[in-house]
Structures are given as structure tokens and as C-alpha cells.
Amino acid sequence: MSKHLIVGGGVYGAAVAWHLAKSGEAVELIEAGKLATGASGGPGRRGVRANGRDVREIPLMVRAREIWPSLHETLGTEPLFETTGQLQLIEREIDIAPAEARAALQTRLGIPSHVLSSDEVRELEPDVSPAIRAGLFCPDDGVAFHEKTTLAYAALAKEAGALLREGVEAEKLLERNGKVLGVLTTNGDEILVDGKVLLFCNAGVKGLVSPWVDLPVWSRTFLVAVSKPLENNPVRHLVGHASRTLSLKREPDGRLMISGGRPGIWDPETRTGTPIQKEVDLNVADAVATYPSLEGMQIETADTNHLEAESIDHIPIIDSLPGNTNVLYAVGWTGHGWAIAPAVAEMMANWVLAGQKPKLLEPFAFSRFG
Ligand SMILES: Cc1cc2nc3c(=O)[nH]c(=O)nc-3n(C[C@H](O)[C@H](O)[C@H](O)COP(=O)(O)OP(=O)(O)OC[C@H]3O[C@@H](n4cnc5c(N)ncnc54)[C@H](O)[C@@H]3O)c2cc1C
């Protein structure tokens, strides 16, 4: 039996470790820090959104949608996913025609989507600002607990026989006679395997593969601001905005989570992020402009401690290393890798087990850059 090495203990590493271990494969996973503390960790919940995705990701989302509602039963946990519907609010006339085209395309590809009139938006979200003219609505979208899901995958992987090691960082890939066989850790240990080497270490992937390929990805933090509990939280759905950097999630305890992609400052030495007050203020200002009753809301937490890799064309790069078909990597989720994770992890495991890249992952090959 071959043994596989997974680098990275976020949702991708943990989920693939589970899929492989339950299929009888020997798996070792190494995580530089603690499990579920990278992009798959942190406050609040993550959006499980098909609405507004790149068209190449829609088939992945169709499969993810089949998995999410009952994933907690598979993982043996309390419910992890909540269907809230995702409503992208439209403030500018110019955004209505693209929304109509998108609704038709998404619906044709298996994601029912509707453009809502101003009145229909207010039936769903009565407290939006008078400036909102329309909306693009995906009723089956929702939110999921990211940290709990990742840790549940990891627990099942362990139960199925995978070896999960925290505090072990891959420094470089080890090559013997032109073939990558494992990693050298920052402690100087060599981990060699005869199966696949799977790189799911997000911001860490670019450096590890750099002797072979120069990936057009970079890493950065995303701001998440969480309000103090609100007596009358006006946000009822997972809400996005067509022309503002804004994503709003209502938390079960009445708090409001405000995000959307604003940056923080990352310190590579301490591996922590520092929020930029101006960005927090701008995020809050966009929320208040969209829901005027949020005026005066107080922010309890502003978090930028979770690094994510972005790609040049905003979709991930999922491939094998040139000349080394035993090394697979997936990186560049660009702030929306969570929703598709259960589907993509399943496909990555199938790739390892069947020895062939699943068709739905073909559009994400590095060769798309020429
Ligand atoms: C604030 C924020 C909000 C987001 N919101 C959404 C959302 O609403 N919807 C959505 O779909 N997606 C969202 N995303 C994106 C999504 O969370 C990520 O794409 C996804 O969690 C990535 O999972 P991963 O397993 O690839 O990476 P990670 O969870 O980052 O895991 C990678 C792990 O690898 C480890 N590592 C790195 N280098 C090494 C090394 N050399 N050796 C060993 N280990 C290493 C890291 O410590 C880390 O734990 C968001 C991301 C962030 C940061």
C-alpha cells in the first residue's frame, strides 16, 4: 500500500485526508501551526454561495450543493450548514442587465437564480436603503461553520487511520533522481512517501512549487468585522452587493458579520494580521449605507489573522507539478474556496484513487495561462 503526504491542515487537507483514509489509503498530514487556523479558521461563518461565481466554478458548486445540507450527518456533528439564500443587492442601473444575464446562465447550469424588483427585494430584506433598485437572488445558498466543519473532517480522518501532525512545517519539496518523493521540514526531518504529495497549504503552496513553476498567485488577509449583538439585526439573508465591497451575515446570536474582501496588514514573522482602522470604517460605512438602521452599530472584533492566496484570474489553480504527476496542488481560492471545498476535496481524492484528473477540475489547470 502506498502512503500519501498532505501538507496543510485546513479544510482541503483535512477533507482529502478523510476521503483517502476511509478508502483504505495510508495518509500523513502535516500542519505548520494548528488545524483549522488558516483561512479555514476564525470568527463567524463562511458563505456557501453559488451566486456571482465564475462560470467555471458553477459545476463544482452544483456538486457542493448536493453535499452541504447533509454533511453534518456524514461527519456526525450538529448541523453545520444553514440555507439562508444569497441576495446580491443592486444599487446602480448599470448592474441590472448583467444580473439578468447571470440569473439566466446560473439557472441553466443548475443554480436557480432570479432577478428581483425593488419591491421583491424589500419583501426579503425590508430594511434596505431606498437606494437599492433590484437584487440577484439564489434561494439555495447559505452559510456554514468553517472551523467546526474543518475540525470534524480532521477528527474523522484520524478515526479512519490518518496520522495528523501539528507544528510540522514543510520547508521544501525533496527531489531524488528528478522525482519529488516528500518534504524536508523546518526541523530538518525528511518525510518520504511512495504515494502522492498533496499540497493544500494555501499561502504556502507558491513557495514550495517555485523551483518548478511560477504560480500567478499571492497571499493576503481579508478583514472580518463582527458587531456587538444587535437588538434588531436587520439582515435576514446572506447579503452581497454588486458595487460595494460588502458581504453581510447574520449570526445566530444576533451579531452581524461584515466582510467582503477588505485588506489587513500581515506580519510574516508572527503570522498574525493587524486590521487597518480605515478599512474597518469603510466596511461599516458600506453596511450602514445599505442598511441605514445599522447607524451607530458597534464593532466588537476586527480580525485579519487568516491568510488566503489569490490568483490572477480569481479562480484556483489545481494541477500536478510539471514532470511530477505524483505531486498535486490546489491554490488561489481568492476568498471563495470554502463553499466548493466538500466537492473539490472529493474530486481531489478521486484523482488520487483513480489516477486521473476529474473532468470538472480541468478548467483549473495551470496551462490556461499558456
Ligand atoms: C476572512 C475570510 C473569509 C472568507 N469567506 C469566504 C466565504 O464567505 N465563502 C467562501 O467560499 N470562501 C471564503 N473564504 C475562503 C476560504 O475560507 C478558503 O478558500 C479556504 O478555507 C481555504 O482552505 P485551505 O485548506 O486551502 O487553506 P487553509 O485553511 O489556509 O489551510 C492551509 C494550512 O496550511 C498550513 N501551511 C501553510 N504552509 C505550510 C507548510 N509549509 N507546511 C505545513 N503547513 C503549512 C497553514 O498553517 C494552514 O493551516 C474566506 C477566507 C477568509 C480568509
Side-chain angles (χ1 to χ4, degrees):
M1 182 173 56
S2 344
K3 178 176 167 183
H4 310 290
L5 175 66
I6 295 178
V7 182
V11 66
Y12 283 92
V16 174
W18 171 61
H19 279 290
L20 292 177
K22 82 177 159 69
S23 302
E25 301 289 301
V27 180
E28 177 170 347
L29 180 152
I30 57 169
E31 159 55 47
K34 291 215 166 279
L35 296 166
T37 55
S40 308
R45 291 181 286 179
R46 294 272 185 264
V48 176
R49 166 184 67 79
N51 208 5
R53 269 182 190 269
D54 185 286
V55 71
R56 288 161 289 185
E57 288 186 350
I58 296 280
L60 306 179
M61 217 30 236
V62 169
R63 174 63 190 135
R65 283 264 190 87
E66 291 167 356
I67 301 174
W68 273 115
S70 59
L71 184 61
H72 65 287
E73 288 165 17
T74 314
L75 300 181
T77 62
E78 65 198 60
L80 298 164
F81 171 75
E82 182 192 351
T83 305
T84 56
Q86 203 267 1
L87 177 61
Q88 190 186 71
L89 297 172
I90 297 176
E91 207 169 313
R92 307 180 309 181
E93 186 70 34
I94 196 177
D95 292 319
I96 294 179
E100 281 165 352
R102 182 169 276 287
L105 183 61
Q106 287 180 177
T107 302
R108 186 159 70 77
L109 294 176
I111 302 290
S113 312
H114 321 279
V115 174
L116 305 182
S117 67
S118 165
D119 285 349
E120 287 169 330
V121 166
R122 282 164 183 81
E123 275 170 31
L124 294 183
E125 290 288 325
D127 297 311
V128 289
S129 130
I132 301 299
R133 297 162 175 261
L136 173 58
F137 187 51
C138 260
D140 300 331
D141 279 348
V143 292
F145 287 103
H146 47 299
E147 219 169 279
K148 281 185 196 164
T149 305
T150 304
L151 291 173
Y153 270 126
L156 275 197
K158 198 169 165 190
E159 220 176 283
L163 173 65
L164 310 182
R165 297 171 65 203
E166 295 181 315
V168 181
E169 180 174 359
E171 185 174 308
K172 65 173 191 172
L173 299 182
L174 280 179
E175 209 178 2
R176 296 277 189 273
N177 303 322
K179 192 168 178 238
V180 173
L181 295 179
V183 301
L184 175 71
T185 71
T186 51
N187 297 331
D189 297 329
E190 293 187 352
I191 305 176
L192 299 173
V193 291
D194 52 357
K196 302 280 187 202
V197 177
L198 300 158
L199 305 179
F200 297 123
C201 49
N202 204 349
V205 172
K206 185 180 168 88
L208 290 177
V209 303
S210 61
W212 290 266
V213 61
D214 185 9
L215 296 180
V217 302
W218 59 90
S219 48
R220 74 173 186 89
T221 60
F222 292 102
L223 170 67
V224 170
V226 184
S227 76
K228 289 192 171 165
L230 300 171
E231 223 167 89
N232 294 306
N233 189 328
V235 179
R236 290 156 167 75
H237 299 79
L238 172 62
V239 167
H241 198 292
S243 53
R244 294 181 189 266
T245 305
L246 188 64
S247 173
L248 299 171
K249 296 180 191 81
R250 181 200 184 100
E251 288 305 295
D253 59 6
R255 287 178 167 80
L256 181 66
M257 179 173 157
I258 309 172
S259 57
R262 290 198 172 273
I265 297 168
W266 184 253
D267 179 349
E269 289 299 312
T270 60
R271 299 184 189 189
T272 55
T274 305
I276 304 165
Q277 189 56 45
K278 187 176 149 222
E279 298 293 341
V280 179
D281 294 345
L282 287 169
N283 226 350
V284 170
D286 276 331
V288 172
T290 309
Y291 288 83
S293 66
L294 289 173
E295 184 71 57
M297 162 186 56
Q298 291 190 347
I299 296 301
E300 191 171 72
T301 316
D303 180 278
T304 54
N305 284 318
H306 305 277
L307 205 58
E308 169 86 327
E310 290 193 319
S311 86
I312 193 88
D313 56 357
H314 314 294
I315 59 166
I317 309 172
I318 304 175
D319 216 330
S320 58
L321 206 59
N324 281 275
T325 49
N326 63 318
V327 182
L328 308 184
Y329 65 88
V331 66
W333 308 109
T334 318
H336 44 259
W338 176 258
I340 54 177
V344 175
E346 179 187 73
M347 291 174 206
M348 294 299 296
N350 288 342
W351 186 354
V352 174
L353 296 170
Q356 205 173 358
K357 188 173 188 176
K359 241 184 157 28
L360 291 185
L361 296 182
E362 292 288 357
F364 306 98
F366 180 71
S367 60
R368 72 179 185 264
F369 300 111

